[in-house]
Amino acid sequence: MDIDTPAPTASTSPLKVAVILGSNREGRFGPVVAEWFLDRAAGHPDIETDFIDVAESEAPSHRPGARLPDVAPRLAQADAFVVLTPEYNHSYPAPLKSLIDRHYAEWQAKPVAFVSYGGISGGLRAVEHLRQVFAELHAVSVRDTVSFHNAGALFDDRGRPKDPAPSDAAAKTMLDQLSWWGRALREARERHPYGA
């Protein structure tokens, strides 16, 4: 770093975004959506991602309240979250619920955005349930989402959207909102810790 260049501050340092893939089913479509989304996020200025896959972060114990030791510090360090979720039986997957419920303070006063995928509803019912859960955890959900309806038919054999314009535009809008909320809430937490 040049001696004349000021050190990054909370308002100038990259926003740390934990991207959480919420499905662990065999044959899941989630990794395709995750790869697409991480590529979009990489192109957004001032965002740094940390990818958390529930399939690779299983709890070592099924005791109620057992926390995932590798995930907790990563969630705590995040300034914001993006949850990638399919829709199972009109809601979101059990492994995602388990991950969310095993943590509490890590979510507080931070924004969360959603990318959903599924059949005709595109996972939107799962997102509506998640909004209620995150509100209870004192997180702020951003309004706009990215939703893939009949997701399998929307991507080609290489995992790219056949018509990228609508999903790319939706991702940019969502990431812009997440970035605004992420910075605003990070600065607010630094001035006055949440719940203090």
Side-chain angles (χ1 to χ4, degrees):
M1 179 181 292
D2 187 324
I3 198 161
D4 295 328
T5 304
T9 64
S11 59
T12 61
S13 62
L15 196 67
K16 295 176 185 170
V17 178
V19 178
I20 302 164
L21 176 55
S23 170
N24 69 350
R25 278 191 181 174
E26 192 167 334
R28 63 194 175 144
F29 192 72
V32 173
V33 176
E35 186 175 338
W36 168 83
F37 179 75
L38 289 167
D39 188 51
R40 300 288 79 68
H44 196 280
D46 304 324
I47 286 183
E48 202 174 84
T49 59
D50 177 18
F51 182 59
I52 299 170
D53 186 344
V54 297
E56 297 171 3
S57 303
E58 296 296 334
S61 165
H62 294 290
R63 292 187 329 270
R67 291 159 64 85
L68 304 177
D70 60 326
V71 173
R74 294 165 68 187
L75 296 176
Q77 291 169 5
D79 298 309
F81 307 99
V82 176
V83 176
L84 311 178
T85 185
E87 182 176 314
Y88 296 165
N89 302 319
H90 286 212
S91 194
Y92 56 97
L96 179 56
K97 175 69 169 161
S98 180
L99 175 84
I100 293 167
D101 288 351
R102 289 173 188 271
H103 303 89
Y104 184 70
E106 292 87 349
W107 310 112
Q108 290 184 336
K110 297 177 183 178
V112 58
F114 305 99
V115 176
S116 64
Y117 57 96
I120 196 165
S121 74
L124 291 177
R125 291 175 290 213
V127 169
E128 290 310 307
H129 287 182
L130 283 164
R131 287 186 192 279
Q132 295 174 43
V133 171
F134 279 108
E136 181 64 21
L137 294 168
H138 300 253
V140 177
S141 63
V142 301
R143 186 214 176 267
D144 285 31
T145 65
V146 179
S147 179
F148 291 101
H149 303 259
N150 297 315
L154 299 179
F155 287 79
D156 64 22
D157 295 342
R158 294 175 294 175
R160 297 183 202 159
K162 293 176 182 175
D163 180 10
S167 54
D168 285 358
K172 182 186 181 318
T173 298
M174 186 193 75
L175 285 167
D176 287 347
Q177 290 176 10
L178 186 71
S179 179
W180 188 94
W181 278 106
R183 291 189 179 287
L185 290 173
R186 181 170 67 183
E187 290 172 16
R189 288 193 312 276
E190 287 181 355
R191 284 194 311 270
H192 185 75
Y194 188 75

